[in-house]
Amino acid sequence: MLGSIPFIVGAIALAMAPLAHAQTACGGQLTGNGIYFSVTQTPNFSILTMANNDANINRNESYILYCTGAPPSTLELLPLGYGGSYKNFSIPLAKVMVDDNYTSTYIELVGQRNTITILSNPPNIVSPCLQQRVANNSITNMTADATQYGLVDAAFREDQHPEQPKDIWMPHSVDIEPLARADYVRAVSLFFNQGAAGQTIYDQVAAAYNQHRDNMEGIPGPSKRRIGWIRYDFSTSHWTLRNSNFTRALIEDAGGQPFPLCGTAEDNSMLTTDEVRTLILNSQVLIDQTEYPSTVRPMPHIRQTAFSGFVGPIPVFDNNKVFSLDFTRNPGGSNDYNYRMAARPDLLLKDMIRSQYPAYQPSIGKFTFFNTMYGYDTPQGIVYSATNCSLPDTSFNNAPYFDEGILPIPVGSVPDVSPAPPPPSGSGIYGGSCSDAGAGKSKSKVGIIVGVIVAATVMAAGFAFAFFKWGKRAKEDRFIELEEEMNNEIPLH
């Protein structure tokens, strides 16, 4: 009897093995494909495909991430419908090269900052603990030469070398929706065998973002604040409009109305002086994304370049509703927006809402990115340095960086939207005339087009019916003729 116990235990272990494998996945379990990537997972390996989402970069790459001693064979891949060549990576990665701040944020969020040993532009780092690693010479500046590639397991890059087997394509596109950018944390997490952590982080970010958005859904159209988002290009001496899918979605999800008020305009479209002036005069909130040199003061610069010779009130200035994006920054002035905005759009959306409604959700903390007084004019906000890495979570201005967690957002009622903004003024797609006259013209044109289409459809149907009747009658007449001919030619028996 006792001799049968090992057999029973072994049988139970064999029976449990498929169940154990079904509950695990190499790289860590994700709940499904991403918005711009797909994944197939097995206990021994996962296949990750980064789909192309940027018209300027022709990439659609697949990677095999394996947790065993060797990548899967062709025979293992064929049943899954995969063939061809892939880049193979043994995971978890231990040392990586990163060519942008966005990806380093994803890596930090899943607790793997110590794997980053080579990084582009270390002075732009805002994360205190990565600043500390730079100060300790644990991170060196990226040159992407052969020596550096020999020191790492992989390199996360957008401008990759097609022939470089260690390159992993990580898109930097700004023209995709906010949660699609945050979703890349799940793809990156697989390379460190942290898929479960990446999934949890994304779920929390998405839940917070969606709750903010849902809280703003009830704002009626006439009460929506018009939010202008601009940037000054010092190389061309012109203001430009920010109007990517990312920026436009943020404004709309915050219950605001983006520019242009009608018609279309490309992201980074160059604005004339009249256009930027009209946009600013019609804005209830203005975001200035310009990264000013220390010798240029923002508010005088806007007045000089957009309002020279103008006499009259500028409501968005008078109401202190002009925001830069440098509330959180490092000692060199590099702002956190350029570092964390891709991974934490929930924080950006919170700022966007609070810029319109200061009393919104007071329990979730102050601004993260938006700076009401411009850091270069009146320095304020949070400056993170390497020394802040070792401080307890709440010891530095009650503003921990990565260790604060992702707070759930309470369900909120629609904020008090009174008084409603005044109607827009001025002409063109940034003014008041286009939404009325333009809409009227559009409607009348649509009416004419619809009328023509209906008339043409009716006439075509009439012709088709007449042709059908004529054809049917012709066939009947011919049948009668044939019948008469047959009766005359065939003898009766």
Side-chain angles (χ1 to χ4, degrees), residues 131-139:
Q131 288 187 58
Q132 187 180 76
R133 284 179 55 78
V134 172
N136 295 341
N137 297 317
S138 299
I139 292 178

Side-chain angles (χ1 to χ4, degrees), residues 296-301 324 326 371 373-380:
V296 177
R297 298 180 62 220
M299 293 300 285
H301 176 78
S324 56
D326 59 355
N371 192 345
M373 297 298 292
Y374 277 103
Y376 292 104
D377 272 3
T378 306
Q380 67 164 13

